[in-house]
């Protein structure tokens, strides 16, 4: 199944998020190893985007709520059972 946002195909979860946000995910989350200068520039760009579109956070919350509502299985959690520990007799210790 193919997913499109407008005319763009979303191949990965990152593509989908970027197309839905209209900006690269890295702009909001940063990248590993970025310098203080790079982080400051990224945050300035994010502030500019939010200043131009003050409804963006509310829009994103609505999108996230809709995705969760339409895909409740995203949060299905299956507890993992830990295997029982094997008891080994120690020398000089009664079991």
């Amino acid at each position: 199944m193919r997913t499109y946002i407008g005319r763009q195909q979303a191949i990965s979860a990152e593509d989908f998020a970027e197309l839905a946000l209209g900006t690269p995910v890295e702009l909001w989350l940063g990248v590993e190893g970025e310098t203080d200068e790079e982080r400051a520039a990224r945050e300035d760009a994010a502030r500019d985007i939010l200043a131009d579109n003050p409804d963006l956070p509310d829009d994103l919350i609505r999108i996230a709520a809709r995705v969760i509502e339409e895909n409740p299985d995203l949060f299905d959690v299956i507890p993992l059972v830990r295997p029982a520990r094997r008891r080994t007799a120690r020398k000089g210790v009664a079991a």
Side-chain angles (χ1 to χ4, degrees):
M1 183 170 154
R2 295 182 181 173
T3 303
Y4 287 88
I5 307 286
R7 295 182 182 178
Q8 299 292 318
Q9 182 179 3
I11 297 172
S12 66
E14 290 80 13
D15 288 345
F16 182 82
E18 183 172 335
L19 291 167
L21 290 169
T23 60
V25 175
E26 293 82 10
L27 175 70
W28 307 102
L29 302 179
V31 293
E32 190 174 329
E34 71 183 357
T35 65
D36 289 341
E37 186 176 275
E38 291 169 330
R39 182 178 45 79
R42 178 180 54 77
E43 290 174 348
D44 284 343
R47 275 190 286 277
D48 289 345
I49 290 170
L50 289 173
D52 291 344
N53 188 358
D55 294 332
L56 182 62
D58 293 335
D59 293 343
L60 294 177
I61 291 168
R62 277 192 286 282
I63 290 169
R66 187 173 60 228
V67 168
I68 291 167
E69 186 176 283
E70 293 173 359
N71 302 283
D73 57 320
L74 289 174
F75 297 98
D76 286 349
V77 177
I78 300 169
L80 300 176
V81 178
R82 290 185 181 202
R85 286 185 173 187
R86 283 195 280 162
R87 291 187 170 206
T88 56
R90 293 188 205 161
K91 204 174 203 177
V93 178

